[in-house]
Amino acid sequence: MKITGFSPLILTDIADADNMIKLFEDLGFEQRHKQIQLDGREINDVTMKHADGHYIDIASVPVKPLDSVIIRMNVDNFEEAYEMLTARGFVCGSQSIIETPSSKSALMVSPTGFKFDLCQHIRKKKD
């Protein structure tokens, strides 16, 4: 398994997401892409990049009482990473793996409580 990306991810309430995005724009970050994933709920995930190469993701989720910071870990082999984390006591926090046409992800919670957003981007095969 190869890690292809590693950055903080902030989960915030839908009502606060625009203010959070504006804060990071004021700090010099620009929006790179916005993604909506459906798993019985709407999740807006904005990836932002700073000119110095730093990344941050901001995901807005419904009914989240407090902001929380998670580590987003993109990998090239989701199953291998998932198996490695579960062997070390991590559990899937959302009780499900979220699959879309372009990605596979799961919120993985460690035995001590810190979290990874484990994600593999699925590349379209070229003809």
Side-chain angles (χ1 to χ4, degrees):
M1 170 200 69
K2 177 182 174 189
I3 294 174
T4 59
F6 204 83
S7 61
L9 164 65
I10 298 173
L11 292 181
T12 190
D13 186 85
I14 292 171
D16 296 328
D18 289 339
N19 290 331
M20 184 80 63
I21 291 167
K22 177 70 174 125
L23 167 66
F24 282 93
E25 286 175 338
D26 290 347
L27 291 169
F29 286 79
E30 294 181 4
Q31 291 187 41
R32 297 280 299 215
H33 72 74
K34 188 171 187 172
Q35 185 177 29
I36 297 174
Q37 300 176 345
L38 297 175
D39 182 30
R41 62 185 184 223
E42 184 175 286
I43 301 173
N44 296 313
D45 184 6
V46 177
T47 298
M48 302 182 80
K49 183 179 181 185
H50 192 274
D52 291 333
H54 308 294
Y55 285 88
I56 189 159
D57 287 270
I58 300 171
S60 57
V61 294
V63 194
K64 192 74 176 171
L66 297 173
D67 293 341
S68 60
V69 179
I70 297 170
I71 300 169
R72 181 196 247 329
M73 183 169 60
N74 294 346
V75 296
D76 67 344
N77 186 320
F78 180 89
E79 286 76 16
E80 183 180 354
Y82 187 89
E83 185 178 305
M84 182 192 73
L85 292 174
T86 56
R88 286 168 174 76
F90 282 75
V91 295
C92 185
S94 64
Q95 304 302 315
S96 65
I97 295 170
I98 299 170
E99 294 188 59
T100 70
S102 63
S103 68
K104 183 185 266 192
S105 65
L107 177 64
M108 303 299 295
V109 183
S110 78
T112 59
F114 83 87
K115 300 171 182 85
F116 280 120
D117 175 28
L118 178 63
C119 183
Q120 178 182 358
H121 292 285
I122 300 166
R123 310 263 187 239
K124 291 182 181 178
K125 294 182 180 180
K126 295 180 181 178
D127 295 327

